Each structure stands twice: as C-alpha cells, then as structure tokens.
Amino acid sequence: MSVEVVVGPLNQKVAHVSRDQYYSYAESLYEDGFHFASDLCGVDYLGNQTRVLPDSVTPERFEVVVSLLSHGSAERIRLRVQIPESDPHVSTLMGIYPGVENMEREAFDLVGIVFDGHPDMTRILLPDGWEGHPLRKDYSVGRVPVQFKGAPGPR
Amino acid sequence: MTDENLEAKEDLKETSRPSGKSSIGHSSVLRLPESEGVDIDLEESILGPGEKMIVNMGPQHPSTHGVLRVMLELEGETVLRCKPIIGYLHTGMEKTGEELTYAQGATNTTRMDYLSPFANELVFALAAEALLHVEIPPRATWVRMLMCELNRMSSHLMWLATNGMDLGATTMMIFGFRERELILSFFEKTTGLRMNHNYIRVGGIAADLPDGWEDDVDIICSTVEKRLIEYDEFFTGQPIFKKRVDGVGVLAAETAVALSITGPLLRASGVPWDLRKNMPYLAYDEVEFDVVVGTIGDTFDRYAVRINEIRESIRIVRQILDKMPSGDYRAQDSKVTPPPRARIDESMEALIHHFKLFTEGIRVPPGEVYVAVESPRGELGCYMVSDGTGKPSRMHIRAPSFVNLQALPPLLAGTLMADAVAIISSVDPVMGEVDR
C-alpha cells in the first residue's frame, strides 16, 4: 500500500490516504499501536487556494482529518482523506475506533460528510430538521433566520 | 448486568452495527431518534411487569450540569441503555471562529469551556504560534503555565462543589465555591475578569503579572492545601459518600481507550496518560509532578484522581513560584505583537504595524496543524487550517467533554437510576464545551 507520509509543523506526521485505503490504513495503524483516535473533523476547502498536497493526491473540496495517537510511543499521526463534493461519502472508522462516533456525527452535522456504516448518522448539535451544513464555506454567517421546530416563519 | 443480557433484551430498534474487532460500548447506546420519547401518551404509558420505559433526564434537570439531556431506557429502576442528547447550547463557535481574526480568536475559544478558560485560550494560541513559527519568551510560557495550573485547581474545586451538591452534600458546594473564589479573585486582579479572560494571546500574554503576585499565589496554595485536608475528612473516609460512589459506574481501561476518553476519567481507569507528562508542552518537562492514576475506574476513583490532581497542581505552582523567569511577556515580533502605545506617536513604522495588525489581523502562513493540551477535563485539541489571511480558514476544537460523554452509556448500563446522578456528575461535562 503506497501512502504518502509527510512531516508538517511541529514534526507532525501527516498521511494522505485515498478513500479506498482509508479504512485499511487505519486498521494497519491500529496494529502498529495507534489505539487511540483523538480527533476527527471535516474541512471544507472551497475557495482556499493555498493548500499544499503531494503530487500523487488529487485535491477535492472536502477533507476528513483524523488524528490518531499511540499511547505506547507517545506520537501522533494525522490522516487526511480527500472527499469529492459530488459524492461526500467515506467509510466509518467505528469498527476500529468506537470513540469516533460523536466526532463523525459532528462532521456529518456541520460539514455534511456521510460516514457509511455508522449506526446513527443523524445530526448531533443542530436540530433534526435543520437545512444545510453550517461549516461549509458556501453557508454564510448571519443570513439564515434561526430555525426552530414549530416556530412561526419570518414575517 | 452483562452486555449479553442487554443484547438479548434489545427489541426496540435493531440497527446494523459495523463489523470489526471492537464493538465496545455499542450495545449500551440507545439508538433512538432524538424526537422519540418526547410526546408520551399517558393513556398508554401504564407499564406491565418487565416492560421498559423511556425517560428523558434533562435538559433542565439540575444534576445534568446545564443542558444535557439523557434519554434513559429503564426497566423498573435499572438503566438498560441510554443516549446523551446534546446541542441545546450550540452557538456555532467554530463557524464564528472563521470570522474572527487571530487576535480576536481567543475571546471566542475562551467561552467554550467556561470553567477552564485558560486552557482554551492556550490551545488556540499554541496552534496559531505553531503555524507562525514565532518564538515565545520564557516568562510568557511560565505565566501561561501558572495560570493553567491555577485554573486546573479552580476547575476541580468547582467539580468538587457540584459533585457534592449532586450527592446531597450541600456544605461541599459552599466550600468548593469559596476556595474557587480565592483563585478567581487572583485571575481578576491579573486579567481584569473572573472568567473568559482573553489573557493568553497569540504571541504571548496580554499583561504581566501584578505586583505582589507571589504572595497572592502563595496564600492560594497554602489555603487550598489546608482545606483539602478538610475535604478528605468530609468525603474520602465518609461512609455515606463511600456508599454512593464505591464500585458505582466502573469504566474499564480498554473501554476508555476504545471510546477515546481522556483526562481524569481515563486516568481513574488506570491508564497513566497525561499530555503534560507524556507529550510535554509549555515547560512542563521542567517541573516535577506525578500523574495521578486510579485503580478500577469507579466513581470514587474519579473523585480521588481529581482531588489529588489539585495537590499536584499546588506542587507545580510552588515550583513555578521559584523558577519564574523575568523578561518580556510578549514575543518581540512586530508582525505578531502590537507596538506599545507610546511608540505609535514617535515611529511611523510602529503606526503602520499597529494599523495593519488591527485592520487585517496577524497574517498566519498557510498550513494546518493539530495541537493538544491537557485541560482539566482531558485532551483539548485545536485543529487549525490557515489560508494565509488574517483569519483561520478552519478552527476545529476537539472538546474533551464532547468525547467523554460517550462514556455515559457503558457507565450507566445496569446501574440504578439514583446512581445515574452520581455517575453523570463524575464525568464532569461542561456543556459550553460539548455544544460549542
């Protein structure tokens, strides 16, 4: 499996994986002692021209960033997965790291990335009937009236 | 009650589970939509023997520490499964963070975990500084450490207070708040505010420590140390307290690691993991302290870990008192730190820098970084993406309480309803941070 691992600021290791490699690479990292998923979030790169990626990686609009931690060797590795806008799906990591449940729900809620195989892919912070995903760059701040279930609409 | 029993009882809603080596914690989560269990038909709610009932605890329940709602599946008084429902305090702080400059960003993050604002400011500042490659003067580092440790003390004291209240020990509530007030008055003296300080900023700290700070900190240390002995008498050996907490809500170490639990919860389960020790930041490698670890991970262990962490913090603060270096408290980099007021009148360059910093903000080079610190509640992380402008392109906060809430279903499974209050309290969720 060819996965490009680059070193970022603070000597942080970053692995760029494709969507197909994502689950199996995380599994192999688990075997290597990375038993702890400390963070998972979605990022929207719409309009951001400054992203630096290795040549072998095709940039897409969304990214899922997972931070894994090894308690044994006290080191971190970060997985960055490119997710296309047309098909914002990626497989869930809950089979390896059950602790990402809330974080994946948050990434779905705020950025709109669907994690296939997640047992409870519902909104976690926003109300169930909310429209749109606020952390997307095309979701502007302060223009949408507050939405509440059963509330009267704007005048 | 074992997991197999729970599995067999499951008939409410069967959902597909991901296949994998680890299914820890799955069977204890109640997989029901949020809206379910809200409109209860009283006519049909009379239960026969052995029937199950869905009860919503919160969001206005006094023991849920704010606006946490726990949907409990009960059989009699036993909790079978549960699901924490959050979001009642969601204000979109991550989105707001994208609209604020790096100088304003700390005012936003400091309001997330309102019981440990310094840790939130610190993680934001550290993330921005990692992208800026700016050198922080030693005094700023040590003052940051001093404030964070005092904050850990005040946060744990607050936890002791609310935990006491949840268990019916009202005296403890008054005591905890009394000691916390001591620390908060020192914060007020230093930063101008009791909470939400905006004191730790990108490039250093907002102001130097006030004159006579050594005496104030010394008084805080000796007072809290003395009072901790009183708390020990109150709680540690006290039979009524022990009955409520001993062996209640046991969290196994492997469950805790699998569910990404951090902080006192993880350490109470016996995993000696503290970012201050294992992956030191600031100057934690230059002070001596021990990582407090529990044995079986019950509610008593979580209490013991926290009360002893206050002692360790006092130890760290005393060492900081001895070792506090002198010098600048802000990075001397005119692209990051605004010039002193007096310089603006005499130097054109200072005027330009001042204008640029306050109109465009600090320009952070493009890149992405994940920085984590040990907040009183666990690993507090900040994932920051910069696009080279004065505002972060993405500012994600990994909130420890948000993740730690996942421990509730396995903790509550099989316990009594009355223990649920003690267990929720021992997880110590701060809803401002959970919902952001």
Side-chain angles (χ1 to χ4, degrees), chain B residues 220-241:
Chain B
I220 291 173
C221 286
S222 52
T223 315
V224 174
E225 200 165 41
K226 223 168 24 205
R227 301 270 163 81
L228 281 176
I229 302 170
E230 286 176 24
Y231 302 163
D232 263 341
E233 277 171 33
F234 251 152
F235 275 138
T236 312
Q238 216 248 20
I240 302 173
F241 175 70

Side-chain angles (χ1 to χ4, degrees), chain A residues 9-25:
Chain A
L10 300 178
N11 290 326
Q12 292 179 342
K13 280 199 275 180
V14 184
H16 293 273
V17 288
S18 71
R19 276 198 290 173
D20 307 331
Q21 295 169 324
Y22 176 57
Y23 191 88
S24 52
Y25 190 68

Side-chain angles (χ1 to χ4, degrees), chain A residues 20 23 33 43 63 92 95 103 128:
Chain A
D20 307 331
Y23 191 88
V43 185
E63 259 183 36
T92 176
M103 311 178 207
D128 279 341

Side-chain angles (χ1 to χ4, degrees), chain A residues 12 37-38 42 99 137 139, chain B residues 31 95 260 370 393-394 398 406:
Chain A
Q12 292 179 342
S38 59
K137 288 290 177 190
Y139 189 104
Chain B
R31 304 230 178 267
K95 185 76 174 174
S260 301
Y370 178 79
S393 160
R394 176 87 165 93
R398 188 258 191 220
Q406 296 182 124

Side-chain angles (χ1 to χ4, degrees), chain A residues 4 7 11 21 44 53 56 75 116-117 132:
Chain A
E4 199 130 358
V7 178
N11 290 326
Q21 295 169 324
D44 184 359
L53 289 173
S56 57
E75 59 176 335
D116 298 323

Side-chain angles (χ1 to χ4, degrees), chain A residues 99-117:
Chain A
V100 297
E101 174 173 359
N102 273 6
M103 311 178 207
E104 286 185 346
R105 281 182 69 191
E106 189 196 347
F108 165 72
D109 191 357
L110 302 180
V111 191
I113 292 158
V114 180
F115 293 86
D116 298 323

Side-chain angles (χ1 to χ4, degrees), chain A residues 12 36-39 42 48 50 76 78 80 94 98-99 101-102 106 120 124-125 134-137 139, chain B residues 26 31 83 86-87 90 94-95 98 258 260 262 368 370 372 379 387 393-394 396 398 402 406 436:
Chain A
Q12 292 179 342
F36 193 88
S38 59
D39 186 32
N48 186 347
T50 58
R76 290 179 193 282
R78 199 155 64 233
R80 286 173 68 181
M94 270 187 76
E101 174 173 359
N102 273 6
E106 189 196 347
D120 190 11
I124 184 166
L125 294 173
L135 281 183
R136 288 191 174 186
K137 288 290 177 190
Y139 189 104
Chain B
H26 284 238
R31 304 230 178 267
K83 179 183 180 183
I86 59 176
H90 179 63
E94 286 184 8
K95 185 76 174 174
E98 295 172 8
S260 301
T262 48
E368 43 107 48
Y370 178 79
E379 175 178 327
D387 55 359
S393 160
R394 176 87 165 93
H396 169 76
R398 188 258 191 220
F402 176 72
Q406 296 182 124
R436 280 159 290 145

